[in-house]
Amino acid sequence: MELGRRIASRLTEATFERVAAVGLANAERNQRVIRHSILELAEASLGEGNSAVVVAAGPSLHRRRSLERLKASAFTGTIVAVDGALGACLRHGVTPHVVVTVDPHAERIVRWFGDPMLVAPPRDDYFRRQEMDPAHAHDEIMANRVLIELVDRCGPGMKVAIATSAAPAVVDRCEKAGMTLYWWNPMYDDYDRPGSLSRRLHAMNGLPCLNGGGNVGTAAWVVTHAVLGKTRVGLLGMDFGYVPGTPYARTQYYPELRELLGDGFAEAFIHVENPFVSETWLTDPAYYWFRDVFLEMAGAAGCETFNCTEGGILFGANVPMAALETFVAGGGRP
Amino acid sequence: MTEFLKGNYELTVKIEEPADEAETSATEEFEKKALSRLGGSICFVRKKGFLWNGDTPEK
């Protein structure tokens, strides 16, 4: 087995190590501000019909002009966006019904909502390096200022499906922007096992536990079908990979892979042929794990899922690829 | 293994098994720590459905 796939096979356990302690600490701190359960979203009026689009923050979102096309399509269903895609949505005049956020990082995630505390470019080059929102790569401070204004203006019309693992800075920012927060617990472990953290967390705050599949994009898809009850879901910007030709240094986990593997870091990257666009995409162990998990979960989901990303590495028997316009028109089955 | 195999000769080198074990454990610890930085934002729990709300039926 290739090195990248070998690493990917160990990331279920690694993710627990990464997020459990900080996520639980944040859950305790957030306890005092929890007012709504995510289950209340099932009763809310969020677009028409049984179709929904989940907007993730992969590079195809910009490359394929997916948001311009979504707006032009006059789609009337539900729009669910991940936190990292919120800025792009608002800049293109697309206001999501629901924004999903989960990562417990103390400083990074608030930037997706516009960080009022950011006055100078930080030492952390995460936003300059990665591909998720190119606006941040060009001029972080200006992009942040514009985003603050947009989120402040549109906030009262949006709902946030927020995990109890979210950092207090994210909670504070969403509340101050007038968003309504609907809470859920990340499922950390098997709730049937003795001493389960998920069970203890549920006992503490009474909120449902959601199986998030490793990343916020998959979590948004789970919210869309398992909470909102949508039976036809289209995915945008769900690449789980990097555009062909992307330098390794501009990939999300580059510093970590370099530290772990030294000069042999490139061996951890995996190349995947996408037959829909006839391109070979680059991916890393984390994204490859997200893909495997998504395909496994899609087989058990009570919805039809169509990947309208037009790029990336997410495709399989339960996740056919389709053009966005085909999905909006009601088609998409192979 | 040493409890099952007995040699009928003397070894000229000294085998320090506990040191190897300590080294393996340090390597494992490094790998665990390094891998944790490659993990995702949220866990995935195999075969436990999408949503669990305590005693209410799974969705």
Side-chain angles (χ1 to χ4, degrees):
Chain A
M1 192 194 283
E2 290 172 40
L3 177 63
R5 288 182 169 88
R6 278 208 311 273
I7 295 174
S9 70
R10 297 179 60 184
L11 292 182
T12 298
E13 186 188 325
T15 298
F16 181 88
E17 291 289 327
R18 181 178 188 234
V19 300
V22 64
L24 291 169
N26 284 346
E28 284 187 11
R29 295 167 75 178
N30 290 329
Q31 177 94 353
R32 64 186 171 79
V33 295
I34 293 171
R35 289 181 190 88
H36 302 285
S37 161
I38 196 171
L39 298 179
E40 294 173 46
L41 276 180
E43 311 302 323
S45 175
L46 304 167
E48 297 172 5
N50 291 323
S51 290
V53 165
V54 174
V55 186
S60 291
L61 195 64
H62 313 284
R63 199 167 177 243
R64 296 288 170 187
R65 301 177 57 253
S66 303
L67 289 167
E68 290 96 318
R69 289 164 55 198
L70 178 63
K71 191 158 174 67
S73 76
F75 177 67
T76 56
T78 307
I79 299 175
V80 178
V82 306
D83 47 13
L86 175 60
C89 283
L90 297 181
R91 285 196 300 274
H92 288 92
V94 174
T95 305
H97 295 95
V98 179
V99 182
V100 181
T101 189
V102 56
D103 193 294
H105 198 283
E107 291 100 30
R108 285 178 179 171
I109 304 305
V110 68
R111 289 281 296 283
W112 297 132
F113 298 88
D115 181 1
M117 305 303 285
L118 185 75
V119 290
R123 288 179 61 191
D124 180 6
D125 71 347
Y126 180 77
F127 288 88
R128 295 188 292 275
R129 193 184 70 245
Q130 52 72 37
E131 78 298 346
M132 287 182 286
D133 190 339
H136 289 274
H138 299 314
D139 183 344
E140 280 188 277
I141 300 301
M142 179 55 77
N144 185 60
R145 197 174 302 149
V146 170
L147 187 53
I148 289 171
E149 287 173 16
L150 279 171
V151 172
D152 283 347
R153 193 186 321 146
C154 303
M158 289 188 288
K159 303 177 191 314
V160 185
I162 187 165
T164 54
S165 53
V170 173
V171 178
D172 187 55
R173 173 70 184 123
C174 291
E175 286 190 325
K176 286 191 172 136
M179 299 163 143
T180 311
L181 277 58
Y182 294 83
W183 294 87
W184 51 280
N185 291 319
M187 192 183 289
Y188 287 100
D189 56 7
D190 182 345
Y191 47 79
D192 285 327
R193 297 183 79 166
S196 159
L197 290 181
S198 306
R199 185 171 286 276
R200 277 164 49 193
L201 193 53
H202 175 72
M204 181 179 90
N205 59 27
L207 294 168
C209 297
L210 188 139
N211 203 348
N215 68 97
V216 66
T218 304
W221 169 75
V222 173
V223 167
T224 303
H225 71 82
V227 177
L228 305 184
K230 300 298 167 182
T231 53
R232 233 178 133 259
V233 184
L235 309 174
L236 294 179
M238 195 85 83
D239 290 295
F240 295 154
Y242 307 98
V243 173
T246 302
Y248 293 127
R250 294 189 68 83
T251 62
Q252 211 183 136
Y253 291 87
Y254 169 75
E256 289 82 4
L257 287 169
R258 182 107 212 185
E259 190 182 311
L260 178 65
L261 303 168
D263 290 341
F265 72 91
E267 287 176 40
F269 285 85
I270 303 161
H271 295 86
V272 178
E273 173 77 19
N274 180 320
F276 190 77
V277 290
S278 300
E279 290 175 340
T280 301
W281 278 64
L282 179 70
T283 193
D284 57 32
Y287 280 180
Y288 196 81
W289 177 61
F290 298 160
R291 167 198 195 255
D292 276 353
V293 167
F294 194 107
L295 293 176
E296 182 178 329
M297 293 176 94
C303 70
E304 288 184 293
T305 302
F306 302 91
N307 192 351
C308 309
T309 296
E310 301 175 10
I313 65 163
L314 179 63
F315 49 85
N318 297 307
V319 187
M321 291 180 286
L324 172 61
E325 289 76 9
T326 307
F327 171 77
V328 171
R333 284 184 195 84
Chain B
M1 204 56 117
T2 48
E3 62 191 285
F4 300 111
L5 295 177
K6 303 287 182 195
N8 56 0
Y9 54 89
E10 292 298 317
L11 289 175
T12 54
V13 294
K14 191 180 175 191
I15 297 171
E16 294 176 338
E17 284 184 340
D20 286 349
E21 281 168 17
E23 196 175 301
T24 306
S25 161
T27 306
E28 278 172 5
E29 193 53 38
F30 168 77
E31 272 191 10
K32 197 173 166 186
K33 209 170 259 182
L35 280 174
S36 75
R37 297 183 59 204
L38 295 179
S41 301
I42 181 169
C43 295
F44 167 58
V45 187
R46 183 158 277 127
K47 295 180 180 169
K48 297 313 286 186
F50 294 102
L51 203 60
W52 176 69
N53 195 23
D55 295 330
T56 59
E58 216 175 275
K59 217 171 166 183

PDB file of all heavy atoms in Angstrom, chain A residues 13 20 24 37 58 91 114 173 228 245 323 327:
ATOM      1  N   GLU A  13      -8.254   7.390  14.340  1.00  0.00           N
ATOM      2  CA  GLU A  13      -7.701   7.506  15.697  1.00  0.00           C
ATOM      3  C   GLU A  13      -6.976   8.856  15.871  1.00  0.00           C
ATOM      4  O   GLU A  13      -7.096   9.519  16.903  1.00  0.00           O
ATOM      5  CB  GLU A  13      -6.716   6.359  15.892  1.00  0.00           C
ATOM      6  CG  GLU A  13      -6.153   6.219  17.277  1.00  0.00           C
ATOM      7  CD  GLU A  13      -5.035   5.166  17.295  1.00  0.00           C
ATOM      8  OE1 GLU A  13      -5.128   4.171  16.563  1.00  0.00           O
ATOM      9  OE2 GLU A  13      -4.081   5.373  18.040  1.00  0.00           O
ATOM     10  N   ALA A  20     -10.472  15.810  20.420  1.00  0.00           N
ATOM     11  CA  ALA A  20     -11.335  15.439  21.547  1.00  0.00           C
ATOM     12  C   ALA A  20     -11.134  16.347  22.766  1.00  0.00           C
ATOM     13  O   ALA A  20     -12.108  16.906  23.295  1.00  0.00           O
ATOM     14  CB  ALA A  20     -11.126  13.977  21.921  1.00  0.00           C
ATOM     15  N   LEU A  24     -14.018  19.044  23.861  1.00  0.00           N
ATOM     16  CA  LEU A  24     -14.766  18.875  25.109  1.00  0.00           C
ATOM     17  C   LEU A  24     -14.599  20.095  26.018  1.00  0.00           C
ATOM     18  O   LEU A  24     -15.550  20.522  26.685  1.00  0.00           O
ATOM     19  CB  LEU A  24     -14.300  17.606  25.827  1.00  0.00           C
ATOM     20  CG  LEU A  24     -14.692  16.307  25.107  1.00  0.00           C
ATOM     21  CD1 LEU A  24     -13.967  15.115  25.712  1.00  0.00           C
ATOM     22  CD2 LEU A  24     -16.196  16.080  25.157  1.00  0.00           C
ATOM     23  N   SER A  37     -31.377  23.647  20.075  1.00  0.00           N
ATOM     24  CA  SER A  37     -30.812  22.390  19.562  1.00  0.00           C
ATOM     25  C   SER A  37     -30.886  22.412  18.039  1.00  0.00           C
ATOM     26  O   SER A  37     -31.811  22.992  17.447  1.00  0.00           O
ATOM     27  CB  SER A  37     -31.607  21.208  20.091  1.00  0.00           C
ATOM     28  OG  SER A  37     -31.373  20.066  19.293  1.00  0.00           O
ATOM     29  N   GLY A  58     -13.743  23.919  -1.482  1.00  0.00           N
ATOM     30  CA  GLY A  58     -12.653  23.430  -2.337  1.00  0.00           C
ATOM     31  C   GLY A  58     -12.405  24.362  -3.519  1.00  0.00           C
ATOM     32  O   GLY A  58     -13.233  25.218  -3.843  1.00  0.00           O
ATOM     33  N   ARG A  91     -20.015  37.090  -1.065  1.00  0.00           N
ATOM     34  CA  ARG A  91     -19.458  37.961  -2.110  1.00  0.00           C
ATOM     35  C   ARG A  91     -20.168  37.747  -3.447  1.00  0.00           C
ATOM     36  O   ARG A  91     -20.199  38.633  -4.279  1.00  0.00           O
ATOM     37  CB  ARG A  91     -17.953  37.692  -2.279  1.00  0.00           C
ATOM     38  CG  ARG A  91     -17.095  38.283  -1.163  1.00  0.00           C
ATOM     39  CD  ARG A  91     -15.620  38.347  -1.564  1.00  0.00           C
ATOM     40  NE  ARG A  91     -15.066  37.057  -1.874  1.00  0.00           N
ATOM     41  CZ  ARG A  91     -14.538  36.210  -0.975  1.00  0.00           C
ATOM     42  NH1 ARG A  91     -14.496  36.557   0.305  1.00  0.00           N
ATOM     43  NH2 ARG A  91     -14.062  35.047  -1.332  1.00  0.00           N
ATOM     44  N   GLY A 114     -15.112  36.615   9.603  1.00  0.00           N
ATOM     45  CA  GLY A 114     -14.559  37.962   9.751  1.00  0.00           C
ATOM     46  C   GLY A 114     -14.157  38.156  11.201  1.00  0.00           C
ATOM     47  O   GLY A 114     -14.996  38.135  12.097  1.00  0.00           O
ATOM     48  N   ARG A 173     -18.505  35.793  17.838  1.00  0.00           N
ATOM     49  CA  ARG A 173     -18.609  36.494  16.552  1.00  0.00           C
ATOM     50  C   ARG A 173     -19.980  36.250  15.908  1.00  0.00           C
ATOM     51  O   ARG A 173     -20.622  37.189  15.419  1.00  0.00           O
ATOM     52  CB  ARG A 173     -17.492  36.015  15.620  1.00  0.00           C
ATOM     53  CG  ARG A 173     -17.591  36.524  14.212  1.00  0.00           C
ATOM     54  CD  ARG A 173     -17.313  38.011  14.111  1.00  0.00           C
ATOM     55  NE  ARG A 173     -17.516  38.490  12.758  1.00  0.00           N
ATOM     56  CZ  ARG A 173     -18.357  39.474  12.413  1.00  0.00           C
ATOM     57  NH1 ARG A 173     -19.064  40.120  13.330  1.00  0.00           N
ATOM     58  NH2 ARG A 173     -18.480  39.844  11.147  1.00  0.00           N
ATOM     59  N   LEU A 228     -32.104  18.115   8.450  1.00  0.00           N
ATOM     60  CA  LEU A 228     -33.084  18.876   7.671  1.00  0.00           C
ATOM     61  C   LEU A 228     -34.004  17.957   6.867  1.00  0.00           C
ATOM     62  O   LEU A 228     -35.039  18.396   6.368  1.00  0.00           O
ATOM     63  CB  LEU A 228     -32.371  19.848   6.726  1.00  0.00           C
ATOM     64  CG  LEU A 228     -31.380  20.824   7.370  1.00  0.00           C
ATOM     65  CD1 LEU A 228     -30.822  21.783   6.324  1.00  0.00           C
ATOM     66  CD2 LEU A 228     -32.022  21.602   8.509  1.00  0.00           C
ATOM     67  N   GLY A 245      -1.312  20.427 -10.635  1.00  0.00           N
ATOM     68  CA  GLY A 245      -0.243  21.424 -10.740  1.00  0.00           C
ATOM     69  C   GLY A 245      -0.037  22.255  -9.475  1.00  0.00           C
ATOM     70  O   GLY A 245       0.880  23.066  -9.411  1.00  0.00           O
ATOM     71  N   ALA A 323     -23.336  17.738 -13.583  1.00  0.00           N
ATOM     72  CA  ALA A 323     -23.197  19.188 -13.710  1.00  0.00           C
ATOM     73  C   ALA A 323     -24.237  19.852 -12.796  1.00  0.00           C
ATOM     74  O   ALA A 323     -25.329  19.298 -12.583  1.00  0.00           O
ATOM     75  CB  ALA A 323     -23.413  19.607 -15.145  1.00  0.00           C
ATOM     76  N   PHE A 327     -28.344  18.875 -12.017  1.00  0.00           N
ATOM     77  CA  PHE A 327     -28.915  18.604 -10.699  1.00  0.00           C
ATOM     78  C   PHE A 327     -30.096  19.526 -10.418  1.00  0.00           C
ATOM     79  O   PHE A 327     -31.160  19.078  -9.974  1.00  0.00           O
ATOM     80  CB  PHE A 327     -27.838  18.784  -9.620  1.00  0.00           C
ATOM     81  CG  PHE A 327     -28.390  18.743  -8.216  1.00  0.00           C
ATOM     82  CD1 PHE A 327     -28.737  17.540  -7.626  1.00  0.00           C
ATOM     83  CD2 PHE A 327     -28.596  19.922  -7.497  1.00  0.00           C
ATOM     84  CE1 PHE A 327     -29.277  17.501  -6.342  1.00  0.00           C
ATOM     85  CE2 PHE A 327     -29.121  19.895  -6.215  1.00  0.00           C
ATOM     86  CZ  PHE A 327     -29.464  18.678  -5.638  1.00  0.00           C
TER      87      PHE A 327
END
